[in-house]
Amino acid sequence: MNILLVGSGGREHALAWKIAQSPRLTRLVAAPGNPGMAKLCETRAVGATDVAGLMALAREIAADLVVIGPEVSVAAGLADAAAEAGVACFGPTAAAGQLESSKAFTKAFCDRYGLPTGAYRVCETVEEARAALDEFAAPFVVKADGLAAGKGVVVAATREEAEAAVEDALGGRFGAAGARVVIEEFLDGEIGSLFALCDGETSMLFGWAQDHKRAFDGDQGPNTGGMGVYSPAPVFTPELVEQVRTRLVEPAFAGIAADGAPYRGVLFVELMATKDGPKLVEFNTRFGDPECQALMLRLDSDLAPYLMACATGRLSELPQPKWRDEAAICVVVAAKGYPGEPKPGGAIRGAEDDLGEDVVVFQAGTRRDADGTLRAAGGRVLNVCARGATLEAAREKAYGAIGKIDFADGFCRTDIGWRALARGPK
Ligand code: GLY
């Protein structure tokens, strides 16, 4: 099987790492990839939103399958172009991708099909937003409508902060993505990330994890794309998983098909486990980043057949995926300043060394100098992942590995997994 994998983050490095282990693989090409991925497969300098360039590359390598990593490729219509060219593609069409690319679309979708989520208002002007804020109590949740790399969500403790977030978004901080804002009810509970595959008709759960959205220890600081995850996460009791499947996953796939855009790919359900059951925080139309990194460490099954089956309508032929009975953790090391203005160019040493058994470092925002030096080139830079018999064991390995990496301009949270550890041993 020849596979074109699109993207350049830690999520795509993890997907490349897992796909590269497939006995079915003939050739794996990543576009644009990153320096870590370049050690696993061929990389080509074609951007994730260059749909024409990606389709030309797919033809050149006789790709049997295009695998979409990031949401920007979904929104750019890569799956639509692949369908037109008759190339199998793991990833939804731009129409189905609105479940991520427009928060206003998703809220209306939830209303239409009865999916549980928080109350909300969609606003196009600061005046409308001020009136909407009057209907909610602190903490206020303000979201840019469109794609903002996980940085378009502000949970504001005060009305002043909420108004500043509204003015920021509507004032152009996120470009067209902030042309509208969604003001929504703050959902109280424990956060969770659940993944489900769909081939347009058949769906299948595909793992779950818990993310840490805030930049700093103790869940302090601004929201980020995710500072670390672990899987499995005890918040996902069998009862919660079943509720998410029946109340969110299946209605979402049925609804989007009824809208004329059957879903092919992975749906990421970010949910709040509230006292009234799971409520949707948001859908994402791709694997989570860094959730994917921890899931790939735990996935025992070959990934490639699942990706291909989603793309070709054959998911019903596959068994449930097998997961290792171990814990996996991913700790994000970000450049200082992230998620605001990450400091670029910091030298990184030791990240590509052997850092211990069951420790894998996926690269995200990195670049390599001509002399081989690895440097920071983005906000989230490294994903230090480890697997262990327990979460404690995995965590010890991951933080031990971070201690061996020399990246003076980086920082990480030191408390990834705190909720599970606070519950005590299983
Ligand atoms: N980790 C959250 C996300 O991928 O959006």
Side-chain angles (χ1 to χ4, degrees):
M1 196 190 295
N2 291 340
I3 297 181
L4 172 60
L5 170 62
V6 178
S8 61
R11 167 184 49 219
E12 289 78 24
H13 190 173
L15 290 171
W17 176 80
K18 187 66 187 167
I19 292 169
Q21 297 168 31
S22 174
R24 292 165 176 84
L25 184 71
T26 312
R27 185 176 181 190
L28 175 62
V29 178
N34 66 36
M37 294 165 80
K39 292 193 155 191
L40 284 173
C41 63
E42 293 171 60
T43 58
R44 294 290 189 87
V46 182
T49 56
D50 178 358
V51 172
L54 290 167
M55 290 315 301
L57 180 56
R59 274 192 300 278
E60 180 199 322
I61 68 164
D64 300 296
L65 177 66
V66 173
V67 176
I68 299 181
E71 62 276 19
V72 288
S73 309
V74 173
L78 181 55
D80 306 74
E84 211 161 288
V87 180
C89 180
F90 176 84
T93 58
Q98 289 178 95
L99 286 172
E100 175 165 8
S101 63
S102 170
K103 292 182 171 58
F105 172 90
T106 300
K107 286 293 195 181
F109 178 89
C110 289
D111 286 349
R112 214 159 54 243
Y113 294 109
L115 279 68
T117 188
Y120 71 101
R121 291 281 175 272
V122 179
C123 311
E124 292 185 5
T125 64
V126 173
E127 292 65 38
E128 279 174 24
R130 286 202 183 110
L133 287 169
D134 289 341
E135 296 178 36
F136 296 95
F140 302 95
V141 182
V142 180
K143 296 181 172 177
D145 177 46
L147 299 178
K151 289 175 256 173
V153 177
V154 174
V155 181
T158 64
R159 172 84 188 211
E160 290 68 36
E161 278 176 49
E163 290 200 14
V166 164
E167 283 162 23
D168 220 21
L170 291 177
R173 174 164 176 220
F174 306 109
R180 294 190 289 183
V181 292
V182 178
I183 310 278
E184 60 181 62
E185 178 190 0
F186 175 78
L187 296 174
D188 200 14
E190 195 168 334
I191 192 100
S193 304
L194 180 139
F195 300 86
L197 301 180
C198 188
D199 66 1
E201 206 166 307
T202 301
S203 65
M204 181 185 280
L205 298 187
F206 207 70
W208 38 88
Q210 187 168 62
D211 195 6
H212 298 65
K213 308 289 283 181
R214 301 289 190 132
F216 309 127
D217 283 4
D219 288 336
Q220 300 297 309
N223 257 29
T224 69
M227 292 300 290
V229 299
Y230 61 100
S231 174
V235 63
F236 283 105
T237 59
E239 186 192 12
L240 180 69
V241 170
E242 189 55 14
Q243 288 172 344
V244 178
R245 186 175 70 76
T246 55
R247 298 180 195 177
L248 288 167
V249 171
E250 289 179 352
F253 288 140
I256 204 76
D259 280 359
Y263 198 97
R264 291 185 191 86
V266 61
L267 184 70
F268 165 5
V269 183
E270 188 182 322
L271 61 105
M272 195 63 79
T274 74
K275 61 177 178 28
D276 302 321
K279 291 197 178 174
L280 183 72
V281 175
E282 57 191 47
F283 284 129
N284 296 305
T285 56
R286 42 146 179 108
F287 278 113
D289 186 346
E291 286 90 337
C292 181
Q293 290 82 312
L295 289 185
M296 291 305 109
L297 253 71
R298 285 195 56 229
L299 182 63
D300 209 16
S301 307
D302 183 0
L303 176 65
Y306 288 89
L307 302 177
M308 185 55 119
C310 286
T312 53
R314 306 185 74 162
L315 203 52
S316 63
E317 296 172 19
L318 294 186
Q320 293 295 315
K322 286 207 180 79
W323 301 96
R324 287 169 173 267
D325 189 19
E326 287 177 299
I329 191 169
C330 172
V331 181
V332 170
V333 183
K336 284 180 183 163
Y338 176 76
E341 293 293 325
K343 185 173 179 196
I348 303 161
R349 291 185 190 83
E352 294 174 297
D353 294 350
D354 179 357
L355 294 172
E357 202 186 340
D358 293 331
V359 174
V360 189
V361 178
F362 297 118
Q363 295 183 26
T366 60
R367 65 175 167 84
R368 197 182 300 285
D369 284 351
D371 68 1
T373 307
L374 196 64
R375 292 191 183 274
R380 293 185 293 172
V381 177
L382 301 174
N383 303 148
V384 181
C385 304
R387 199 169 54 211
T390 60
L391 175 61
E392 288 86 336
R395 194 173 187 262
E396 203 166 303
K397 288 186 204 180
Y399 281 113
I402 289 172
K404 294 179 197 160
I405 297 172
D406 175 8
F407 177 28
D409 288 337
F411 76 99
C412 67
R413 280 184 59 160
T414 63
D415 62 350
I416 301 303
W418 70 267
R419 277 199 179 86
L421 297 174
R423 288 174 187 238
K426 286 193 272 190

